[in-house]
Amino acid sequence: MTALTIVCAVGAATAAGAFFTFSDFTMAGLRRLPPARGAAAMQAINKAAPSPLFMLLLFGTGAACVALMVSAAMNIDEPGSIMRLIAGAIYVAGVVVTTVGYHVPRNNRLDRVDPESAEGADYWAVYLKEWVPMNHVRSIAPLVSAVMLVVSLTAGQE
């Protein structure tokens, strides 16, 4: 379980860093552009984002967290198991579910608008208002998960 916990912690921390860049400066930079250019840039980013490596990071870490949660549940009396179970759930809910259920539909809707149109400019304003705050969740959840996983490795050691 130690190796799987480390894999999950590193994956979660890496995901946190990727999402943090968007929350901190990527979206702020796109917001400074004229709406048509910001929306077009985000459309290009959204097309590039589902790269094999990024999907492996996001969903591979999610799958590893599910495996860790199952292992932790089966060994619930071992030190750190409850923390691993909670940390895995935080990653899965805060990253996987939020990405698939919240961000992807908004990304798909943005992809369907013409950034040069009035509809495109209007949706870009809505997109920024809706997408960015929930991206903060995707930044914080995997960071919390990573910290909990690291701490779980020392549980029971005194």
Side-chain angles (χ1 to χ4, degrees):
M1 193 158 23
T2 299
L4 187 55
T5 301
I6 292 169
V7 166
C8 290
V10 170
T14 304
F19 292 128
F20 173 77
T21 65
F22 272 84
S23 283
D24 185 49
F25 56 83
T26 302
M27 296 309 287
L30 295 179
R31 182 178 273 125
R32 289 185 177 124
L33 295 172
R37 288 184 51 211
M42 191 65 187
Q43 287 173 331
I45 290 168
N46 286 338
K47 282 182 178 50
S51 70
L53 190 55
F54 189 60
M55 293 299 97
L56 178 63
L57 169 67
L58 241 60
F59 297 111
T61 301
C65 282
V66 169
L68 184 64
M69 291 166 61
V70 169
S71 177
M74 291 173 53
N75 299 288
I76 202 73
D77 292 332
E78 289 186 18
S81 288
I82 292 173
M83 193 175 290
R84 288 184 189 99
L85 188 62
I86 294 168
I90 289 170
Y91 182 89
V92 170
V95 175
V96 176
V97 172
T98 301
T99 297
V100 173
Y102 190 86
H103 287 94
V104 169
R106 283 158 180 79
N107 293 346
N108 290 343
R109 182 168 175 209
L110 180 66
D111 189 50
R112 290 191 300 268
V113 300
D114 175 359
E116 299 287 338
S117 70
E119 176 193 10
D122 289 345
Y123 186 64
W124 178 240
V126 169
Y127 183 89
L128 288 169
K129 183 178 178 183
E130 293 179 350
W131 194 94
V132 173
M134 284 303 289
N135 195 65
H136 298 336
V137 170
R138 290 196 305 178
S139 300
I140 295 166
L143 181 60
V144 168
S145 178
V147 169
M148 289 178 70
L149 289 167
V150 168
V151 170
S152 79
L153 292 170
T154 63
Q157 299 177 3
E158 282 145 22

